Amino acid sequence: MSAPPPLQIREANAHLAAVHRRAAELEAQLDAAECTVSTQAERLARHDQQMRAALDELGRAKDREIATLQEQLLTSEAAVRSLQAALRQRDELVAQLQLRAKLLQDICRRRPPLAGLLAALAEAERLGPLPVSDPGHPLPGMPSPPLANSTGAEGGRDHLQPAVFGTTV
């Protein structure tokens, strides 16, 4: 076999040099790309870790808020029960007071006749008792004692006592 012509060898050498340069460029790009991918992977891993930590903290905050709200709900329910009990007591008191108010209205309606009766009793008390006299002999100028109703059980007026008026009011 004969040796290739020098031009062909130079072209082949130039081609091999171009291929080596291109291979070196591609290796440099590959190294740069690997470095970029590695850096991005590290950043993504850190970001993922931060997001997981933030998500965990958010979950804990949510759990704390739920616990606080449940506690507030229990407190509110207890307050509602307490207010309902107080309302029932007040309703009972209102019912009792309504009965007493009705009784007072009834008393107020009956007050004028009662006041008249008390005035008559006071007048009778002011007059005092009648002087004691023998029922058979009335005092001169005085009418004879009135006849009294009798059930007939004792047969006369001997059981009657002289009346004395008084009030306890």
Side-chain angles (χ1 to χ4, degrees), residues 71-82:
E71 189 175 315
Q72 288 176 351
L73 178 64
L74 292 175
T75 302
S76 296
E77 286 174 345
V80 166
R81 284 191 298 275
S82 174

Side-chain angles (χ1 to χ4, degrees), residues 6-169:
L7 182 62
Q8 202 175 15
I9 292 175
R10 271 185 268 158
E11 283 180 2
N13 283 340
H15 180 69
L16 280 176
V19 168
H20 280 288
R21 276 193 312 273
R22 181 69 180 142
E25 288 174 8
L26 290 174
E27 283 179 9
Q29 287 179 353
L30 178 62
D31 288 342
E34 284 176 350
C35 185
T36 303
V37 167
S38 175
T39 304
Q40 286 178 349
E42 287 174 9
R43 265 191 280 162
L44 286 174
R46 280 193 308 269
H47 186 69
D48 186 50
Q49 187 178 12
Q50 290 171 350
M51 289 296 116
R52 285 181 194 273
L55 188 59
D56 288 345
E57 179 57 33
L58 188 60
R60 286 189 297 273
K62 174 196 61 104
D63 291 342
R64 285 191 302 269
E65 187 173 350
I66 286 173
T68 301
L69 290 173
Q70 284 176 333
E71 189 175 315
Q72 288 176 351
L73 178 64
L74 292 175
T75 302
S76 296
E77 286 174 345
V80 166
R81 284 191 298 275
S82 174
L83 290 172
Q84 285 174 336
L87 182 61
R88 280 192 297 276
Q89 288 176 342
R90 287 189 182 171
D91 286 346
E92 291 172 6
L93 179 61
V94 166
Q96 291 172 357
L97 291 175
Q98 284 176 333
L99 289 174
R100 289 180 184 214
K102 187 176 179 183
L103 180 62
L104 280 173
Q105 287 174 343
D106 191 36
I107 288 171
C108 288
R109 243 189 348 268
R110 295 178 185 195
R111 186 171 177 230
L114 181 60
L117 175 63
L118 289 175
L121 287 174
E123 179 65 22
E125 191 174 84
R126 187 184 63 74
L127 291 176
L130 291 175
V132 179
S133 66
D134 184 14
H137 302 349
L139 292 174
M142 296 295 286
S144 62
L147 296 176
N149 289 335
S150 171
T151 58
E154 297 189 18
R157 283 184 276 154
D158 295 334
H159 70 284
L160 295 176
Q161 298 285 329
V164 177
F165 293 102
T167 62
T168 58
V169 179

